Amino acid sequence: MATYNFKNEAEVYLVFSGSRYKLDVTKDLSFSQTFTDRTYEQKTLHEQNKLHDASNITKANPASFNFTVPAITENALDTVFNLLVNFKSGTYTLNTFDLYIKLTNDVYKLRNCVITNGTFIIEKLENLKLAISGEASELTRGATLPTASTDPAVTVVAPGTRTPHYMKELDVYMSTTRLTEGVFSVAVELQNNIEWTPYETVNKALNLGNTHSVTTTMYPSNFTLKKRIVSGSVGQYVLDTFNSDVQNWKQSVPVLITAGNGLSGSDFRGFKFNFGTCSFTNRNNVGEVFTQSYDWISNQNTTNLGSLITYN
């Protein structure tokens, strides 16, 4: 009887800089890659019966992947966080890594991965999470998960214990206004807009020859980081106990968001966002309960986001 592979049995491993980490992927795991089919007409003056176009498949589009991981008190999430936020050493581009998805009887590999989007999930009565989206050069099936015996150059980092970060305390400042009272939703997102370098060259086309197969497929390999965007939103009930910014906007103001536990002490654990130059618009929302929605974006031009977005 055939063995089926179920997503809830999948194990996700990240290999970066010679180390292998097991990720606690909680949900939303998905990955795929498509190929480009450039069809051409076969019908000619002498062969009017050829009504169907022929296919010419020579290249693959960038692969995509998504997953969500919980924030934990140990250091296991540091690597994912740093790959999202920090630059590659000495450059203005992002680090790449490999992902392995291990199933009951199979292993998939995503080669040359880069994180293009990270959403910090902050929900009351829930543990903090980080939703990751990205792209990769190549997706293959039947890969070998690197271990100490199969690849001596890779160090297997022991998973260790896992203690989730619960969102017990939340502090939000928009400009000089403290919004903690009445806040019901907070979202922060970092986008890394990349552009893959065209990889259809004369040399590669000549190497294909006349016989095309999946082994000669041209895969993307290099990319350029074009833009970074940090933005977010804060939803708040309109109460009579604070000064409201409803139907207002401001520019060049600070935004400070702290979520986790131990906010007032030196042992704080959680996410902290501290941007000095932002703009926001605030609009009124009419429902059974009146609310206001702050939509903000950072205008602070910095190459060191790691000093403004911290994970303790």
Side-chain angles (χ1 to χ4, degrees), residues 38-300:
R38 291 186 176 180
T39 60
Y40 60 92
E41 189 175 356
Q42 298 186 91
K43 183 178 179 181
T44 66
L45 180 64
H46 301 290
E47 295 180 299
Q48 293 292 315
N49 63 313
K50 292 189 175 181
L51 303 178
H52 297 276
D53 289 347
S55 293
N56 182 27
I57 304 174
T58 59
K59 73 170 187 174
N61 299 312
S64 61
F65 62 88
N66 302 275
F67 59 83
T68 300
V69 289
I72 53 179
T73 57
E74 290 77 26
N75 296 329
L77 187 62
D78 287 359
T79 301
V80 178
F81 176 84
N82 291 332
L83 287 168
L84 166 67
V85 174
N86 296 328
F87 279 138
K88 185 177 180 180
S89 177
T91 69
Y92 292 114
T93 189
L94 302 172
N95 285 294
T96 59
F97 56 95
D98 294 334
L99 278 179
Y100 292 83
I101 297 87
K102 183 178 182 298
L103 305 171
T104 304
N105 60 350
D106 212 346
V107 177
Y108 287 85
K109 178 183 178 181
L110 286 155
R111 182 181 63 83
N112 199 29
C113 300
V114 58
I115 298 177
T116 57
N117 187 283
T119 301
F120 298 85
I121 302 174
I122 302 169
E123 300 173 330
K124 287 188 174 180
L125 305 180
E126 295 285 344
N127 57 310
L128 300 173
K129 304 181 189 71
L130 181 59
I132 293 295
S133 299
E135 296 181 352
S137 294
E138 182 181 4
L139 170 62
T140 55
R141 180 190 173 195
T144 300
L145 180 67
T147 63
S149 58
T150 61
D151 190 347
V154 173
T155 300
V156 177
V157 179
T161 58
R162 295 289 196 266
T163 308
H165 270 308
Y166 289 103
M167 212 288 288
K168 296 182 179 180
E169 301 172 77
L170 176 65
D171 225 5
V172 180
Y173 282 88
M174 304 293 293
S175 185
T176 58
T177 304
R178 188 179 187 187
L179 306 182
T180 304
E181 186 179 7
V183 171
F184 62 85
S185 68
V186 176
V188 181
E189 182 178 17
L190 167 58
Q191 299 177 49
N192 294 317
N193 294 342
I194 67 170
E195 181 178 296
W196 289 93
T197 305
Y199 45 94
E200 284 185 310
T201 65
V202 174
N203 289 334
K204 289 186 177 181
L206 291 174
N207 290 334
L208 291 177
N210 295 322
T211 303
H212 294 174
S213 67
V214 69
T215 59
T216 60
T217 303
M218 293 184 287
Y219 290 93
S221 56
N222 298 313
F223 65 89
T224 303
L225 180 62
K226 292 292 187 179
K227 182 189 294 187
R228 310 192 85 184
I229 301 172
V230 180
S231 60
S233 63
V234 178
Q236 185 185 35
Y237 295 109
V238 178
L239 306 176
D240 60 355
T241 56
F242 56 80
N243 296 324
S244 175
D245 287 315
V246 175
Q247 292 305 115
N248 195 4
W249 59 265
K250 291 182 180 179
Q251 296 181 156
S252 300
V253 297
V255 170
L256 173 62
I257 300 173
T258 311
N261 56 76
L263 267 62
S264 58
S266 59
D267 59 344
F268 165 72
R269 295 290 182 270
F271 297 137
K272 182 176 288 187
F273 311 89
N274 189 356
F275 291 91
T277 307
C278 301
S279 61
F280 72 77
T281 60
N282 186 16
R283 67 183 188 279
N284 178 64
N285 294 320
V286 178
E288 293 186 7
V289 179
F290 278 70
T291 63
Q292 59 181 341
S293 177
Y294 287 87
D295 297 306
W296 62 272
I297 186 169
S298 171
N299 307 126
Q300 193 164 339

Side-chain angles (χ1 to χ4, degrees), residues 6-12 22 25 29 101-104:
F6 296 94
K7 187 167 71 171
N8 62 356
E9 298 176 345
E11 298 177 355
V12 181
K22 184 178 181 182
V25 175
L29 172 64
I101 297 87
K102 183 178 182 298
L103 305 171
T104 304

